[in-house]
Amino acid sequence: MTKIKDLTSVLEQFAPLAYQESYDNCGLLTGSSETEVKAVLIALDVTEEVVDEAIKKGCDLIIAHHPIIFKGLKKLTGSNYVERTLIKALKNDIAIYAIHTNLDNVMGGVNSKICQKLGLKNTSVLVPKTHQLKKLITFIPVEKTEEVLKVIYHAGAGQIGNYSECSFRVEGTGSFKPNEAAYPAIGSANKVEFVKENRVEVIFPGYLESKVISALIKAHPYEEPAFDLNLLENNNKGIGSGMIGELEPALDETAFLHYLKERMGLKVIKHTKLLGRKISKVAVCGGAGSFLLKNAVKAEAQVFISSDFKYHEFFDAENDIIIADIGHYESEVYTKELIYELLIQKFSNIALVLSVSNTNPISYL
């Protein structure tokens, strides 16, 4: 029996809710995490049409990229499409889950999918986030070091990019004197004890702090293990906004725009004037990405692919880069495929259905 929480735990392991932006509203929006699931509809948006599709296809859960509940709701009277959509989902016992900016911000997420569609190589996060990593410093008896580290690694510490079980250690001598109320694993009351210890340092994502510390305390032989926690200024290269990659072979600008149109299934591209350069480095951001324009220029991309640029923001290209606004829906529609790919690896026992509803609110003549 598969429950909603089984599906969401897989998604949140890949794109933790801690990585959503402060303004966002990701996670389970309606329904109970304990509900059994037999079929899931995967969509970009949740609209009345999408809920109707879920009903028709017997789906218990809709997993969408965009949250249907974004701002606070004070009533459900059906006065707008958000309220009508929620009422219909609730009446038909259909749960709704959103995986939005947390999926934007992880390596392998929305922007990676765009890079994949365009065949970009040597991809990396355009603007990595800071203050996402912490360092644990602790002191472990030499003979117990590997045993304790194994448990800490399992809790999620010691992962740096493509490397796991990363740590630093140096041997020294620790001292302590237990009082009468203590139950020391080593030594006895009112006697100073000297122990050969390793000072061990490991890095971990900040959102895992409680899990890592709990693992340390459970595995450590001491009654009260000593440890320090430091918030790091380091960039987390696997977490952040936008992506950049290399196009091989390089294309002239007109050829690239036709290539972009074909690969992303576009009807139209809004772009700034061509600059007579070869396109070999491409920056991307699914959804509204104008805030990353300067970063794309700084990274020496020849083109920045995103959406929702305002009229005056196109002037900000300053002949340094080509802005290619492909549309919000068009830049993220393949997120449905991404979510499907994340889940099909684990859940072959339930129906995973890609929504066929076109939820793009913008039409082209």
Side-chain angles (χ1 to χ4, degrees):
M1 182 174 68
T2 300
K3 296 182 178 181
I4 288 177
K5 66 180 181 181
D6 299 321
L7 291 146
T8 59
S9 65
V10 169
L11 294 175
E12 290 169 17
Q13 186 176 358
F14 181 80
L17 293 178
Y19 291 148
Q20 68 179 301
E21 298 295 337
S22 59
Y23 59 78
D24 207 0
N25 189 34
C26 302
L28 188 62
L29 304 182
T30 69
S32 167
S33 61
E34 296 293 333
T35 300
E36 183 181 357
V37 177
K38 295 179 181 177
V40 179
L41 185 67
I42 301 170
L44 184 64
D45 307 284
V46 185
T47 62
E48 292 176 86
E49 182 183 1
V50 170
V51 176
D52 286 335
E53 186 180 355
I55 295 168
K56 183 179 179 180
K57 294 177 177 176
C59 297
D60 319 281
L61 171 66
I62 297 172
I63 297 176
H65 184 47
H66 295 136
I68 181 66
I69 304 174
F70 206 74
K71 298 178 180 178
L73 289 173
K74 293 186 177 180
K75 57 186 178 180
L76 282 174
T77 61
S79 63
N80 56 53
Y81 89 93
V82 172
E83 294 177 14
R84 290 192 299 273
T85 299
L86 289 170
I87 289 169
K88 182 173 287 189
L90 291 168
K91 280 185 175 180
N92 289 277
D93 293 322
I94 296 171
I96 300 172
Y97 182 88
I99 180 167
H100 189 211
T101 52
N102 52 327
L103 192 59
D104 290 332
N105 283 332
V106 295
M107 195 76 166
V110 174
N111 295 308
S112 292
K113 188 65 178 177
I114 298 172
C115 291
Q116 180 187 334
K117 297 293 291 185
L118 296 177
L120 302 184
K121 303 180 183 300
N122 301 319
T123 56
S124 60
V125 173
L126 181 60
V127 183
K129 287 189 178 293
T130 59
H131 301 108
Q132 298 292 317
L133 298 172
K134 290 190 175 182
K135 179 187 286 187
L136 168 67
I137 303 170
T138 190
F139 305 87
I140 311 170
V142 171
E143 66 275 10
K144 292 288 185 178
T145 297
E146 294 301 331
E147 180 181 330
V148 175
L149 272 175
K150 184 178 180 181
V151 176
I152 296 173
Y153 292 150
H154 185 71
Q159 184 84 30
I160 302 177
N162 294 324
Y163 297 85
S164 61
E165 300 188 15
C166 303
S167 68
F168 173 80
R169 70 188 76 178
V170 61
E171 189 174 320
T173 302
S175 66
F176 52 86
K177 184 170 77 171
N179 63 23
E180 292 86 351
Y183 295 91
I186 300 173
S188 54
N190 298 313
K191 180 181 178 183
V192 176
E193 191 72 27
F194 297 92
V195 181
K196 286 186 177 181
E197 296 177 332
N198 279 319
R199 173 190 167 107
V200 175
E201 302 181 11
V202 291
I203 292 174
F204 63 92
Y207 75 92
L208 290 176
E209 178 179 329
S210 61
K211 186 176 180 181
V212 170
I213 298 306
S214 177
L216 169 68
I217 292 172
K218 184 176 181 180
H220 203 289
Y222 291 172
E223 184 182 10
E224 296 185 20
F227 62 89
D228 297 325
L229 287 175
N230 295 329
L231 180 63
L232 302 182
E233 295 287 341
N234 305 48
N235 288 337
N236 187 339
K237 294 183 179 180
I239 305 296
S241 302
M243 290 194 72
I244 190 164
E246 297 172 0
L247 182 69
E248 296 178 2
L251 296 173
D252 67 46
E253 294 162 335
T254 300
F256 175 78
L257 292 175
H258 284 294
Y259 175 82
L260 173 61
K261 218 172 174 183
E262 177 190 351
R263 286 299 186 104
M264 297 296 290
L266 307 174
K267 293 181 179 179
V268 64
I269 300 173
K270 291 197 296 183
H271 63 85
T272 51
K273 70 179 180 180
L274 305 186
L275 303 172
R277 303 169 184 167
K278 288 283 189 180
I279 303 295
S280 61
K281 189 177 283 189
V282 180
V284 307
C285 180
S290 61
F291 68 101
L292 292 174
L293 179 60
K294 290 182 179 179
N295 302 98
V297 173
K298 186 178 180 180
E300 300 181 344
Q302 291 89 34
V303 63
F304 179 41
I305 301 164
S306 191
S307 71
D308 298 351
F309 276 82
K310 296 179 181 178
Y311 176 80
H312 290 283
E313 290 175 329
F314 281 93
F315 288 106
D316 294 334
E318 294 276 11
N319 293 330
D320 292 322
I321 195 169
I322 295 173
I323 296 171
D325 186 328
I326 64 174
H328 197 121
Y329 176 89
E330 290 82 358
S331 73
E332 295 185 327
V333 66
Y334 298 105
T335 302
K336 293 188 292 185
E337 294 180 4
L338 171 61
I339 296 170
Y340 176 87
E341 290 160 3
L342 290 171
L343 293 176
I344 195 64
Q345 301 174 38
K346 300 280 187 179
F347 302 100
S348 57
N349 59 322
I350 61 174
L352 298 171
V353 184
L354 293 180
S355 173
V356 296
S357 300
N358 184 342
T359 58
N360 192 350
I362 300 169
S363 297
Y364 304 97
L365 182 61

